[in-house]
């Protein structure tokens, strides 16, 4: 476990050293993305991007989960931190962002209290925007590293295809799935499986808001039969 953490730190320092030696002026951007859905609750996402080449960025993120059931009555809440690389392709219509993160807390380990790097989280984020058609997809695997007899692994996926009515408004379909892939105790379950539609508005300053709603089609019925999800992207 210690060797894994040390390797991750060394990788981070190495990448930072590479772009710090660039002679040209680099561009750094930040954004926050508050998200709330009826299944997992509220979280705030902090996003950062630093250009290391014309079409390649170093990316980094943190996800602050505040759902009380993810910790101990408001303590030991789940935290995600990670870094990745972002690639702009197909004349900047396609963006790919593979990342490697770690989870901190007790959500996946099943421990009594916070454990640093209790889980590892490889992920892939993709956006395609052709002007009329927009598409977003994400997949992440939450693998427990420090289980104590009650650990679990999770898989999170979403797919969001849509069309732009104009530069400020778009609509489309929405699918999101969160389920266990492994559990120390009992059978694995689907926590939710949402299928619905969304409406999204985009402002001139880069801020956008998206609201999605529809039925929960999961047969496990861990959450309610209907769902909603609202999120915003706010550059800072």
């Amino acid at each position: 476990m210690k060797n894994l953490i040390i390797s991750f730190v060394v990788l981070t320092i190495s990448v930072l050293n590479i772009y710090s030696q660039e002679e040209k002026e680099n561009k750094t951007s930040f954004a926050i993305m508050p998200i709330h859905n009826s299944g997992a609750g509220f979280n705030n996402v902090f996003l950062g991007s630093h250009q290391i080449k014309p079409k390649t960025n170093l990316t980094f993120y943190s996800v602050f989960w505040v759902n009380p059931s993810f910790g101990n009555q408001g303590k030991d809440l789940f935290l995600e931190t990670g870094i990745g690389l972002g690639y702009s392709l197909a004349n900047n219509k396609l963006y790919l962002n593979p990342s490697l993160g770690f989870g901190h807390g007790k959500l996946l380990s099943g421990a009594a209290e916070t454990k640093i790097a209790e889980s590892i989280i490889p992920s892939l984020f993709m956006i395609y925007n052709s002007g009329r058609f927009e598409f977003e997809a994400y997949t992440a695997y939450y693998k427990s590293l420090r289980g104590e007899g009650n650990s679990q692994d999770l898989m999170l996926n979403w797919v969001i295809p849509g069309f732009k009515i104009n530069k400020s408004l778009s609509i489309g379909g929405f699918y999101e799935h969160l389920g266990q892939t492994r559990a120390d105790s009992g059978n694995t379950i689907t926590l939710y499986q949402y299928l619905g539609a969304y409406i999204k508005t985009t402002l001139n300053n880069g801020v956008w808001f998206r609201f999605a709603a529809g039925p929960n089609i999961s047969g496990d019925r861990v959450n309610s039969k209907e769902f909603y999800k609202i999120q915003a992207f706010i550059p800072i």
Side-chain angles (χ1 to χ4, degrees):
M1 182 62 217
K2 291 182 179 179
N3 290 335
L4 182 60
I5 295 176
I6 292 172
S7 298
F8 182 74
V9 172
V10 171
L11 174 62
T12 303
I13 294 174
S14 298
V15 174
L16 291 174
N17 185 56
I18 290 173
Y19 76 72
S20 67
Q21 294 178 2
E22 292 286 327
E23 294 181 357
K24 64 180 182 180
E25 181 181 357
N26 292 312
K27 296 181 180 179
T28 303
S29 61
F30 300 93
I32 56 174
M33 187 165 58
I35 303 174
H36 182 67
N37 74 49
S38 54
F42 179 75
N43 65 83
N44 252 324
V45 184
F46 175 83
L47 301 166
S49 177
H50 190 101
Q51 187 183 69
I52 55 178
K53 291 182 179 180
K55 294 184 180 294
T56 304
N57 293 339
L58 172 72
T59 62
F60 46 96
Y61 76 93
S62 296
V63 184
F64 305 93
W65 293 91
V66 298
N67 189 326
S69 66
F70 291 176
N72 289 319
Q73 298 180 344
K75 300 183 297 182
D76 303 310
L77 294 175
F78 192 55
L79 169 69
E80 294 181 47
T81 57
I83 62 172
L85 289 173
Y87 302 96
S88 296
L89 305 169
N91 294 323
N92 295 324
K93 294 180 180 179
L94 177 64
Y95 180 74
L96 297 177
N97 185 198
S99 296
L100 180 64
F102 286 91
H104 319 281
K106 62 181 291 293
L107 175 63
L108 299 179
S109 65
E113 59 185 19
T114 287
K115 286 186 175 294
I116 303 300
E118 64 141 18
S119 53
I120 188 169
I121 312 168
S123 66
L124 176 64
F125 178 65
M126 182 185 77
I127 294 178
Y128 179 80
N129 192 330
S130 66
R132 273 297 184 185
F133 177 71
E134 62 181 21
F135 180 83
E136 179 181 317
Y138 178 77
T139 183
Y141 182 53
Y142 292 72
K143 171 65 178 176
S144 175
L145 293 176
R146 307 179 65 186
E148 294 190 351
N150 193 31
S151 67
Q152 61 176 331
D153 299 338
L154 302 175
M155 178 70 78
L156 173 64
N157 304 286
W158 69 67
V159 179
I160 310 173
F163 294 92
K164 290 186 175 182
I165 298 175
N166 53 47
K167 65 178 183 180
S168 301
L169 184 66
S170 58
I171 58 174
F174 181 93
Y175 173 83
E176 183 170 333
H177 169 272
L178 175 65
Q180 291 178 323
T181 61
R182 184 195 60 81
D184 285 342
S185 57
N187 297 323
T188 59
I189 59 173
T190 296
L191 299 172
Y192 59 72
Q193 190 173 12
Y194 298 153
L195 179 64
Y198 78 86
I199 183 170
K200 175 183 172 183
T201 181
T202 303
L203 307 181
N204 292 332
N205 57 2
V207 175
W208 58 258
F209 301 88
R210 182 169 62 205
F211 179 74
N216 179 9
I217 62 175
S218 168
D220 290 332
R221 295 303 183 200
V222 176
N223 286 284
S224 60
K225 295 180 181 180
E226 299 179 357
F227 88 95
Y228 62 82
K229 180 175 183 179
I230 188 167
Q231 67 187 103
F233 179 84
I234 307 171
I236 55 175

